[in-house]
Amino acid sequence: MGTSLRAAERSIIHVDADAFFASVEQRDNPEYRGKPVIVGHDPKGRSVVSTCSYEARAFGIRSAMPMSVAYRLCPHGIFIRPRMERYAEVSRAMFSIMERYSPIIEEVSIDEAYLDVSGEDGREIAICIKRDVVKELGITVTAGVSYCKFLAKLASDAAKPDGLLVIGRNDAAAFLEGLPVSRIPGIGPKTAAKLDKWGIRSVCDLKKMPPEWFEAAFGEFGRRVRALCEGHDDEPVAPSREAKSVSEETTFAEDVSSKAALYPHLASLSQDVAFRLRRSRLRAKVLGMKVKFADFSVTTREVTLPEAVSTDQAFYTTLKLLLERTRLPKPVRLLGVFARGLESDSPRQPLLLPPAPDQWEVVCRSLDQLRMKYGKPLVRLGASISTEGTGGASAGFDGIGKS
Ligand code: TTP
Ligand code: MG
């Protein structure tokens, strides 16, 4: 499979935990590791298998199979009742790892999500997510990366378990042609059986059919089925939740070895995040910083403030302290700034008199108007100036600086 996706293309990752419930059981009970674990109610009764470990799959056991059949196939297996609260807890932790890497996350199920990471290298981010999940949660996930959702999902299905597969635009046709028609969303078992009678078994067979045939065979879905066979899918990743954080980051053209050289970037990122918050009429109580080193390891530092803030000055002063206290043992590849603990900017309680605004709030408000008008921050914190080639006035911390 190809190694890179064209820069202008979307980059989408589909993440799906491997044998999720069973893996959590194996993580929590080391004696179950390497053994067939079957999760479901009542081993000898009428309930069905929720899921089973890959060791149990070797015996032919699958999700939704009656537990009694599973028991017959593997009587020495470890049969466990589901512990939904525990799985929900691991699921939440897994989603917060993904949130480190993209604000655009669509949760599909308890263990599955799409991330839109357009503009970045999807493979690199998938590697980071896989690494963090194993290290922090003790289970594995499989990731599929492609330029659309449909292929990202097929890629992760093909790479299971504990895999990573990238399907670039140049690989898509070859990958799709070999698949059975049933792998195209919308082609269920009945339709697949009908197509089979007509000798249409693979996507390659399907692609040979003329455009009109698709509408006749699939009705209103004909056009979509044909587009999918050709590897076209424009469906966006639809974020499942309101933003819980706002972040901005910069990947340096060359790794940065001196801490001093990071301050201007920190100032610039602080301004960008604070600006976005003010635009959304929000303030943040938790400010943080992410540092990715040359070897892709990541350190995050954050601080909870007594009051929610939204001025450039409050952001930079806080984050500068965090950076001062952070050890940088290796050259830095990426610097990021994030804000969490978001609160609405409106006054918390009715006041007889409006509060006297902090002088920096007044400054920021007028600077935002300029920024909205001219597209770029015209006035920057003094510390950020060396990140900009030209232009712009500066704002120092003790007042508006020189132009
Ligand atoms: P899946 O992701 O479909 O399955 P999985 O994670 O167990 O295995 P893999 O992805 O490696 O193929 O489902 C996630 C969890 O949802 C699964 O661990 C248990 C639960 N589930 C059910 O309870 N019943 C079902 O029929 C299915 C398919 C899943
Ligand atoms: Mg799964």
Side-chain angles (χ1 to χ4, degrees):
M1 288 292 147
T3 50
S4 65
L5 299 171
R6 274 184 289 169
E9 283 192 321
R10 292 195 299 158
S11 183
I12 292 171
I13 308 178
H14 180 257
V15 177
D16 187 330
D18 303 317
F20 184 50
F21 295 1
S23 301
V24 174
E25 295 301 340
Q26 288 180 320
R27 184 229 162 271
D28 289 353
N29 304 281
E31 67 278 18
Y32 297 167
R33 294 181 196 163
K35 303 211 169 118
V37 171
I38 301 102
V39 181
H41 292 279
D42 191 11
K44 290 174 192 160
R46 288 144 51 104
S47 60
V48 295
V49 174
S50 283
T51 193
C52 59
S53 64
Y54 278 78
E55 294 84 355
R57 293 182 198 196
F59 291 88
I61 303 176
R62 295 287 179 271
S63 288
M65 173 183 276
M67 284 293 270
S68 53
V69 176
Y71 188 75
R72 224 181 309 131
L73 288 170
C74 186
H76 65 286
I78 299 162
F79 289 82
I80 303 172
R81 285 179 194 281
R83 294 185 296 146
M84 290 310 296
E85 268 175 38
R86 175 70 182 131
Y87 310 145
E89 186 182 30
V90 178
S91 167
R92 275 193 297 277
M94 197 173 90
F95 283 111
S96 33
I97 288 176
M98 294 185 221
E99 278 167 12
R100 285 175 201 163
Y101 297 98
S102 171
I104 308 172
I105 300 177
E106 179 179 338
E107 294 182 20
V108 182
S109 75
I110 190 165
D111 80 330
E112 187 184 345
Y114 291 98
L115 285 82
D116 190 327
V117 295
S118 299
E120 298 188 67
D121 185 335
R123 176 197 294 272
E124 237 169 53
I125 295 179
I127 289 171
C128 293
I129 293 172
K130 282 175 63 65
R131 177 200 62 205
D132 293 0
V133 171
V134 169
K135 196 161 136 212
E136 296 171 38
L137 308 179
I139 62 168
T140 60
V141 299
T142 295
V145 182
S146 193
Y147 58 87
C148 64
K149 281 168 80 173
F150 152 69
L151 281 166
K153 161 93 173 136
L154 287 178
S156 76
D157 287 350
K160 271 191 162 291
D162 195 13
L164 166 59
L165 179 65
V166 181
I167 302 180
R169 187 143 321 243
N170 296 335
D171 318 313
F175 178 84
L176 281 167
E177 281 173 11
L179 295 179
V181 290
S182 58
R183 301 308 309 279
I184 301 286
I187 304 191
K190 273 192 198 158
T191 313
K194 202 162 78 179
L195 293 174
D196 185 85
K197 277 195 202 136
W198 297 338
I200 300 168
R201 297 184 183 107
S202 66
V203 173
C204 182
D205 299 332
L206 203 49
K207 270 177 77 172
K208 290 185 190 138
M209 307 308 286
E212 330 65 81
W213 177 88
F214 282 85
E215 243 156 88
F218 301 103
E220 56 178 318
F221 298 115
R223 198 185 280 258
R224 168 125 175 110
V225 170
R226 180 155 180 268
L228 293 176
C229 292
E230 299 288 342
H232 301 312
D233 170 27
D234 291 333
E235 204 188 312
V237 176
S240 315
R241 284 180 287 200
E242 264 184 61
K244 284 199 297 190
S245 66
V246 172
S247 61
E248 291 283 345
E249 52 188 44
T250 293
T251 303
F252 304 117
E254 281 175 25
D255 296 342
V256 176
S257 303
S258 106
K259 194 185 266 190
L262 289 177
Y263 289 107
H265 295 281
L266 188 72
S268 171
L269 291 166
S270 300
Q271 270 196 296
D272 291 343
V273 172
F275 171 73
R276 278 177 54 192
L277 281 188
R278 293 193 297 269
R279 291 293 306 143
S280 313
R281 300 193 181 284
L282 295 169
R283 294 163 185 259
K285 239 181 146 170
V286 182
L287 303 188
M289 186 186 73
K290 172 171 117 180
V291 179
K292 193 190 273 183
F293 295 102
D295 64 357
F296 288 94
S297 59
V298 176
T299 290
T300 54
R301 293 274 180 277
E302 61 177 47
V303 62
T304 303
L305 302 168
E307 285 280 334
V309 294
S310 67
T311 64
D312 294 353
Q313 180 260 0
F315 268 63
Y316 182 60
T317 318
T318 308
L319 292 165
K320 185 163 166 271
L321 276 175
L322 275 187
L323 181 55
E324 275 164 14
R325 292 175 196 167
T326 304
R327 225 170 55 80
L328 301 177
K330 291 165 264 187
V332 175
R333 173 185 165 80
L334 171 152
L335 180 68
V337 161
F338 60 87
R340 297 192 298 108
L342 306 184
E343 294 178 4
S344 157
D345 203 5
S346 52
R348 266 137 277 178
Q349 55 203 18
L351 295 161
L352 287 175
L353 291 169
D358 169 328
Q359 65 156 358
W360 273 102
E361 288 187 20
V362 180
V363 172
C364 284
R365 239 175 270 151
S366 34
L367 299 189
D368 288 350
Q369 278 172 1
L370 288 174
R371 182 169 176 159
M372 294 301 292
K373 195 160 166 194
Y374 296 105
K376 264 177 72 100
L378 285 191
V379 183
R380 301 210 69 114
L381 291 173
S384 73
I385 282 180
S386 76
T387 66
E388 301 291 310
T390 52
S394 68
F397 290 123
D398 40 5
I400 294 282
K402 321 151 267 285
S403 316

